[in-house]
Amino acid sequence: MTVSSAPGKVYLFGEHAVVYGEPAVPCAIERRARVDVEARADDHVRVRAADLSLDGFTVEYTGSTDGRPDVDVPRPLVDAAMGYVDAAVDQARDAADAPDAGFDIVVESDIPLGAGLGSSAAVVVAGIDAATRELGHELAPEELADRAFRAEYEVQDGQASRADTFCSAMGGAVRVEGDDCRAIETPSLPFVVGFDGGAGDTGELVAGVRRLREEYEFAADTVESIGDIVRRGEELLRAADPDAPPTEELLVELGRLMDFDHGLLEALGVSSRSLDAMVWAARDAGAHGAKLTGAGGGGCIVALDSTPGSRTALRFTPGCEDAFQAELATEGVRVGDAGDAKGDGPAGAAR
Ligand code: MEV
């Protein structure tokens, strides 16, 4: 049996603007998806998703997933989850030149589903890594990131960006601009995540920003200003000593930029009452800064706070379902499960 795990991510800066060619800086966080893979003697694939908020399920199939048996969870959720596992299996078979390989797969995750924390990317990255290793092949992280991107791209009908999969495979902070992805050496950042239990519709939110941008020049300027914030934030990160704890000055300045970024995203119409309430709760509790992360509309915020203050305040904030500290994950995909699936938030997998 082979086990791999891969982290989720938050956007320190730049979601939405990245769609229009501006840079973005996603950061991997110590919340992981773990995938156990065991090769089978036949070409079947059997998937068990444990600890899911959707109660877990088991599906066994041959070749394509068209003839899946009925399972005791909502069909759309199973279809979504299975799409990612299928795509990961296809990539592993292709990478190992083993088109008929069969697997028993167990997926576990402590990354909230569909909340903008890159849970599907983490499952795909860990799944491809574990399955190829199980077949005796080892992929370089860059190839793994590329294959995981192709898997997500296929499942999401061409809507995937490289940010989530690259960040999950490589770990740390990452700069993404179009297809160009590179790691940024940075000190460990004290992230706190607040989750409202919901999820926005990424497609609709992206379309809404596109319409605003087409209609109003100042909305287009707002998108460019987010790009300016990202460039400034990136400079600060690059100037910092990656081997030392972050200085107070760095945290204050990054926090200020996060606050700016959230304000601009709010102006672009992608925040929500619950996201704004969580952002303000974190700021009032002393966070250096706070912003929504991901597509918005619902889901998660990220705050910068080295104290327990923001997390505690978030847990008492109406509309916040869960809050947790999530250090920067300096390691991306890794073999084995030491230290995985830790944490105290809701569990979920595969989407
Ligand atoms: C969604 O997590 C991030 C967006 O920028 C969309 C994308 O980059 O594909 C809103």
Side-chain angles (χ1 to χ4, degrees):
M1 193 213 295
T2 309
V3 183
S4 295
S5 77
K9 65 101 194 37
V10 291
Y11 272 98
L12 182 57
F13 308 115
E15 54 273 90
H16 282 287
V18 72
V19 174
Y20 306 99
E22 300 290 348
V25 177
C27 295
I29 55 169
E30 268 312 331
R31 281 263 154 161
R32 288 181 172 262
R34 192 183 94 140
V35 181
D36 299 27
V37 176
E38 187 151 16
R40 292 171 60 114
D42 56 26
D43 64 355
H44 291 213
V45 175
R46 183 173 186 274
V47 180
R48 186 159 66 83
D51 291 348
L52 281 175
S53 54
L54 49 111
D55 291 337
F57 61 85
T58 301
V59 184
E60 182 170 340
Y61 58 94
T62 319
S64 93
T65 51
D66 293 346
R68 281 175 225 150
D70 284 343
V71 288
D72 194 19
V73 287
R75 185 67 190 228
L77 285 176
V78 176
D79 285 346
M82 292 306 295
Y84 289 107
V85 176
D86 265 354
V89 164
D90 282 350
Q91 286 294 332
R93 284 172 169 158
D94 183 60
D97 198 17
D100 298 323
F103 304 100
D104 285 329
I105 298 174
V106 180
V107 180
E108 290 173 280
S109 174
D110 60 17
I111 308 167
L113 298 178
L117 297 184
S119 56
S120 62
V123 168
V124 169
V125 166
I128 297 173
D129 190 65
T132 46
R133 282 179 196 279
E134 180 70 3
L135 295 174
H137 287 253
E138 193 170 327
L139 299 178
E142 290 78 7
E143 183 180 351
L144 178 62
D146 186 55
R147 286 190 175 275
F149 165 68
R150 283 192 262 154
E152 279 221 315
Y153 191 86
E154 183 190 310
V155 180
Q156 296 173 6
D157 290 330
Q159 296 299 312
S161 87
R162 288 184 180 269
D164 289 18
T165 38
F166 188 82
C167 193
S168 185
M170 311 300 283
V174 161
R175 179 192 201 273
V176 180
E177 188 171 359
D179 283 346
D180 182 52
C181 303
R182 50 189 75 184
I184 305 176
E185 292 232 41
T186 169
S188 185
L189 297 171
F191 294 123
V192 177
V193 173
F195 175 41
D196 71 3
D201 180 326
T202 302
E204 268 180 29
L205 290 152
V206 169
V209 173
R210 187 179 300 280
R211 278 195 298 274
L212 275 183
R213 208 175 147 268
E214 281 164 6
E215 194 170 348
Y216 301 108
E217 207 176 309
F218 51 79
D221 293 344
T222 303
V223 168
E224 273 181 39
S225 297
I226 293 177
D228 293 338
I229 289 173
V230 181
R231 281 180 278 275
R232 173 82 188 119
E234 189 195 345
E235 267 171 36
L236 292 170
L237 292 175
R238 287 194 189 283
D241 178 354
D243 300 320
T247 61
E248 187 68 8
E249 294 73 33
L250 176 67
L251 294 178
V252 166
E253 194 57 25
L254 288 176
R256 194 171 290 158
L257 294 175
M258 289 168 78
D259 287 344
F260 255 115
D261 197 353
H262 182 77
L264 298 181
L265 290 166
E266 214 277 322
L268 291 172
V270 297
S271 192
S272 70
R273 273 177 199 275
S274 57
L275 293 175
D276 287 343
M278 291 192 290
V279 159
W280 277 105
R283 289 176 186 162
D284 287 346
H288 295 290
K291 61 182 278 295
L292 66 84
T293 176
C300 290
I301 65 127
V302 58
L304 214 50
D305 190 355
S306 352
T307 76
S310 302
R311 190 188 59 177
T312 306
L314 283 166
R315 285 185 170 171
F316 286 100
T317 302
C320 176
E321 190 173 294
D322 190 33
F324 50 88
Q325 264 153 325
E327 294 295 322
L328 183 76
T330 46
E331 230 181 335
V333 68
R334 70 179 175 220
V335 180
D337 61 351
D340 291 356
K342 67 179 184 188
D344 42 12
R351 205 197 152 141

